Amino acid sequence: NEYPKYIEELVSAFDEADFMALKKAAHKLKGSALNLEFVKLGSISLDLEGVTDNLEQSTRLVEALKDEWTLIEKLLTANESN
């Protein structure tokens, strides 16, 4: 599962205000998420990819992305337990 690495790269780029790396990480996450039909995660990543130079919007979207990933992790973990 590459997602924790993708999320970490994205958050790190955001924290470092590296907007090019943030856009690249959002693009990579978007493609991977949509491939596995994590539609909301892909949609947030797509939105983030388009606004990486806007701090307010990027902040909101990075938080939404982290929240969505937390939800997906919980669902995956619950599914593995069954």
Side-chain angles (χ1 to χ4, degrees), residues 31-68:
S32 184
L34 292 176
N35 254 356
L36 291 178
E37 297 185 15
F38 296 154
V39 177
K40 188 170 181 181
L41 187 66
S43 177
I44 295 167
S45 299
L46 174 64
D47 291 346
L48 179 59
E49 188 179 5
V51 299
T52 55
D53 59 344
N54 182 309
L55 183 60
E56 183 178 330
Q57 289 181 337
S58 292
T59 300
R60 181 180 55 81
L61 290 168
V62 167
E63 289 305 315
L65 192 144
K66 290 191 295 188
D67 290 345
E68 181 64 14

